[in-house]
């Protein structure tokens, strides 16, 4: 049984000018100890998916439907109290903005210790001792002094390390990382990724990594889910995805990543871009959500939404033409 | 679309159903009221009060100042709708005429304080030398609680509607000046104002073209609140005997007269209090609505 | 930090000087002979002459101002024209009721308004929120004396639960003292509660959208932990700022509230002084209230660091 099973997840928001179908029928699973990446452009619903798993979506104006089974238990049917016992304890989350995700008026030690006191019933003193340990674990020097400091006294990278310390304090089974390195300098990004990989092995947590950065995906993920306009369009093991993308959108995404040295080899390759804009999620789209931007789209694509089909073992894509070899090779 | 029409090898995805009812957008007058209920309610009530004030002589046949010692302190009845006071005057008529004083004071103070405050604020925002002096003076004035300041000013002068307006206006000016100055200073940082300065546009032109239009929205909202608080201040001044002269029927005066008898004849105080509260409420609602409609950022702040 | 405090304290001196100059000048802004203004309509020429002499009108303006300030610094606020008592003595006699009223109102208002605003923000858009906002608009709209009469009518006259009017000194026991202050405090506090509840709601709405609140929820914290620890502490600075500024409302309202509930405090002293045109008393009271107001806000400024570690001086 998978650790986390997301089944036909729908997260919609009520807005004054219509229903925003931010996530509309997304299914995937995460096995224990595995790293799954969810990729897509901003606004494709990947962050909303992550927030939906922990039910952090404000309801109303949001509403979540489908099923999210964690260890076989449907989180959408759990009570608020049960959810609180899971959040930060069995499933924890790291956010994109380390500069603003920590509470500016509470000490770092208190913010780490808080989860321990809450979920493990530790005393204030024990929680602070453990907070020092956690800071050591995430590689923050002078941890004893740092626990008494406030977030504004730390750099961005340090703050993200603190966020990781908070997330891992209770040894969660699943860690959801929503763009954990996006806001950081490139050198710090690598450090944080290394740290996450290292800690994953030590703690044995599964990771759902939300990112738009395919470089990060290649580095840490085992399987990848590609999202577009609130749907899953492709899912594959990481190598299969990079070697043989089956969906034109994935192809486009890969094409827009600069390849190292390409400009040095003399090839005048332009960085490929995907023309057009993501369609409004407030309109119902009858056909393929990518049809409006797809170079291969036909009348069939705009009329009939393609089902997700297994194209190769563990490799599914939602495209009418993905079957035909060579059709997308152009 | 049924699967039979699909070409072989093509599978359609199961369409997703919406999980919430569709959003209906409303247009027209009803839509406006739904979106801005406070403007609608406040506006309607203010209009009603203005109507009462203007047409007071047609809404009552009794002279609000006519004494009838034989008919003192009558309970509300068919003859005296709101009862009569200890001099036998008809409270209904007095309350209707009282609307004139309250609204006059409210509107006059709002207009005067806005105009003067705008002027001072503009000077302060544009002339650095003047700014530090003006703002020190405003700080000092704002350190005196505004009702107290109005009381102190009224203690010096003869009670008259004009002096009441003047006293409340002086007490309100610092707040408006601060507001305008703040807007001016933030606008001066804007690139388009920089560009106008750099291209040699003269200061008066910059003020007219760039500063004034942007000041208008917050100033309008502020003016409504000033109007509301001026009406309350007028009533307070009259109530403690430092406001409108007692011969003029104002809501504060009627209440002041009913003060001695309020335990036995509460209606004398009740009716003017009700009208005053409704009017101030209406103006405040209007202000809240305007604020939400004109300046979403300000709406978030307060 | 220490240097900041010193600078901040020194910065209030010019403000107070301007307040003093303003209060002093009030008498001379008015048209006509200030001595005649003070003496009023029924005064004999003798009265006017006596007042003129006591004001020292024969000396230059700034010299008079200097002398006046010097007297104030020594605690001499002048002598009442009506009672011939020193103004400082009169203030001393009347200060306890006013201080009691304001402190009880302050405690009452803050302990009601802050939770109200917090709950309204948490339940934004629900009937609770609308009720709080509706109450706030009413609080701004219904004048303090109207609230006072309505409360007194029902709670004192109709239901006989609390005393109608008057004041019992603190020395005569806590409950008798408090009993007399409950209705006046609610009446006086209504605007203040409205103001604080509104700013609390607005600030909390802003804070609740911050990323760290999402983090707190993701940690599994319960609602009250999020609201009252994580959010409220961040919202504290704007809220206490408004609590300080709003004291002006309390001061202005006290003048009226004391009249409605027959409390023999500074407010009543002011009203009586106005009716008798007892100008030294008016000046003294206005000056005292203004200085208290400035000092309270200074104290609040200095207290910011307690709530927000990012503020450094």
């Amino acid at each position: 049984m998978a650790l986390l099973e997301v089944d036909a997840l729908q997260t919609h928001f009520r807005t004054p000018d219509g229903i925003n179908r931010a996530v509309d029928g997304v299914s995937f699973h995460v096995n224990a100890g595995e790293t799954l990446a969810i990729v897509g452009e901003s606004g494709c619903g990947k962050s909303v998916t992550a927030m939906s798993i922990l039910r952090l979506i404000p309801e109303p104006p949001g509403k979540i439907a489908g099923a999210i089974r964690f260890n076989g238990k449907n989180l959408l049917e759990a009570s608020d109290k049960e959810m609180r016992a899971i959040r930060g304890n069995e499933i924890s989350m790291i956010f994109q903005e380390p500069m603003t995700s920590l509470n500016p008026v509470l000490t770092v030690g208190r913010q780490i210790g808080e989860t321990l006191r809450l979920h493990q019933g530790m005393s204030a003193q024990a929680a602070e001792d453990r907070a020092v340990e956690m800071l050591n674990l995430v590689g923050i020097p002078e941890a004893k002094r740092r626990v008494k400091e406030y977030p504004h006294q730390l750099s961005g990278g340090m703050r993200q390390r603190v966020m990781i310390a908070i997330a891992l304090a209770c040894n969660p089974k699943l860690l959801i990382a929503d763009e954990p390195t996006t806001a950081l300098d490139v050198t710090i990004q690598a450090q944080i990724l290394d740290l996450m990989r290292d800690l994953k092995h030590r703690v044995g947590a599964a990771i759902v990594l939300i990112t738009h950065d395919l470089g990060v995906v290649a580095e840490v993920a085992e399987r990848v889910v590609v999202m577009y306009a609130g749907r899953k369009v492709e899912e594959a093991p990481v190598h299969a995805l990079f070697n043989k993308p089956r969906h034109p959108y994935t192809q486009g995404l890969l094409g827009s990543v600069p390849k190292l040295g390409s400009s040095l080899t003399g090839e005048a390759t332009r960085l490929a871009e995907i023309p057009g804009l993501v369609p409004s999620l407030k309109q119902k789209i009858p056909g393929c959500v990518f049809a409006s931007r797809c170079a291969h789209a036909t009348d069939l694509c705009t009329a009939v939404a393609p089902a997700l089909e297994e194209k190769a073992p563990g490799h599914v894509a939602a495209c009418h033409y993905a079957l035909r070899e060579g059709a997308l090779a152009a | 679309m049924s699967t039979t029409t699909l070409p072989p090898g093509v599978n359609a995805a199961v369409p997703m159903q919406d999980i919430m009812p569709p959003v209906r957008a409303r247009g027209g007058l009803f839509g406006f009221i739904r979106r801005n209920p406070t403007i609608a309610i406040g506006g309607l009530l203010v209009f009603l009060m203005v109507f009462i004030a203007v047409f007071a002589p047609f809404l009552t046949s009794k002279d609000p100042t006519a004494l009838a010692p034989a008919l003192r302190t009558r309970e509300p009845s068919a003859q005296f709708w709101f009862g009569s006071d200890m001099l036998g005057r008809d409270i209904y008529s007095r309350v209707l005429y009282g609307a004139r004083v309250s609204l006059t004071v409210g509107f006059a103070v709002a207009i005067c304080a806005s105009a003067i405050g705008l002027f001072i604020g503009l000077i302060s925002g544009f002339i650095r030398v003047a700014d530090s002096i003006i703002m020190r003076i405003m700080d000092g004035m704002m350190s005196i609680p505004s009702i107290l300041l109005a009381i102190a000013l009224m203690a010096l002068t003869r009670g008259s509607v004009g002096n009441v307006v003047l006293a409340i206006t002086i007490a309100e000016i610092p707040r408006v000046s601060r507001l305008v100055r703040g807007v001016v200073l933030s606008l001066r940082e804007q690139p388009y104002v920089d560009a106008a300065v750099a291209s040699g546009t003269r200061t008066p032109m910059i003020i007219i073209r760039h500063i004034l239009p942007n000041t208008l929205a917050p100033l309008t909202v502020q003016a409504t609140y000033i109007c509301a608080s001026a009406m309350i201040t007028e009533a307070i001044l009259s109530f403690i005997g430092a406001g409108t002269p007692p011969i003029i029927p104002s809501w504060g005066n009627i209440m002041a007269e009913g003060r001695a008898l309020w335990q036995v004849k509460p209606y004398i105080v009740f009716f003017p209090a009700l009208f005053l509260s409704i009017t101030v409420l209406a103006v405040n609602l209007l202000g809240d609505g305007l604020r939400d409609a004109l300046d979403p950022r300000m709406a978030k702040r307060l | 930090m220490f240097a900041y405090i010193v600078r901040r304290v020194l910065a209030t001196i010019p403000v107070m000087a301007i307040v003093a100059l303003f209060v002093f000048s009030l008498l001379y802004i008015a048209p006509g002979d200030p001595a005649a203004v003070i003496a009023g309509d029924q005064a004999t020429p003798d009265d006017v002459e006596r007042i003129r002499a006591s004001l020292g009108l024969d000396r230059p303006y700034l010299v008079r101002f200097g002398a006046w300030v010097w007297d104030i610094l020594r605690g001499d606020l002048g002598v009442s024209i009506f009672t011939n008592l020193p103004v400082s003595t009169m203030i001393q006699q009347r200060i306890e009721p006013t201080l009691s009223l304001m402190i009880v109102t302050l405690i009452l208002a803050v302990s009601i308004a802050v939770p109200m605003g917090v709950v309204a923000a948490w339940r934004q858009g629900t009937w609770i929120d609308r009720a709080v906002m509706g109450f706030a608009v009413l609080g701004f709209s219904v004048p303090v004396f109207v609230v006072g009469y309505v409360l007194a009518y029902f709670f004192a006259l109709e239901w006989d639960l609390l005393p109608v009017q008057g004041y019992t000194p603190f020395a005569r026991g806590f409950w008798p003292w408090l009993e007399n202050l409950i209705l006046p405090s609610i009446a006086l506090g209504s605007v203040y509660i409205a103001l604080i509840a509104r700013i609390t709601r607005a600030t909390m709405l802003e804070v609740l959208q911050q990323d760290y609140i999402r983090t707190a929820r993701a940690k599994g914290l319960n609602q009250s932990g999020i609201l009252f620890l994580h959010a409220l502490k961040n919202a504290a600075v704007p809220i206490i700022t408004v609590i300080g500024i709003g004291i002006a409302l309390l001061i202005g309202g006290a003048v009226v509230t004391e009249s409605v509930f027959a409390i023999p405090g500074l407010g009543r002293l002011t009203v009586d002084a106005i009716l008798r045109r007892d100008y030294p008393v008016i000046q003294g009271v206005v000056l005292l209230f203004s200085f208290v107001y400035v000092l309270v806000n200074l104290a609040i400024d200095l207290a910011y660091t307690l709530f927000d570690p990012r503020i450094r001086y």
Side-chain angles (χ1 to χ4, degrees), chain A residues 10 12 14-16 18-19 21 24-25 61 63 65 284 304-307 309 320, chain B residues 1 6-14 16-25:
Chain A
Q10 284 179 293
H12 292 183
R14 180 167 280 277
T15 69
I19 298 170
R21 302 169 186 89
D24 209 18
K63 193 176 178 192
K284 276 221 162 218
V304 181
E309 289 171 29
H320 292 309
Chain B
M1 187 161 304
L6 291 178
V10 171
N11 290 321
V14 183
M16 301 304 294
Q17 300 302 316
D18 277 348
I19 53 177
M20 51 175 68
V23 177
R24 268 173 300 160

Side-chain angles (χ1 to χ4, degrees), chain A residues 35 37 39 179-182 189 193 196-197 209-221 238 242:
Chain A
T35 301
V39 296
E179 306 264 13
T181 58
T182 308
Q189 279 189 11
L193 284 178
M196 284 178 62
R197 233 177 339 205
L209 177 70
I210 313 267
T211 182
H212 67 276
D213 185 342
L214 290 166
V216 172
V217 173
E219 214 168 319
V220 297
V238 67
F242 276 86

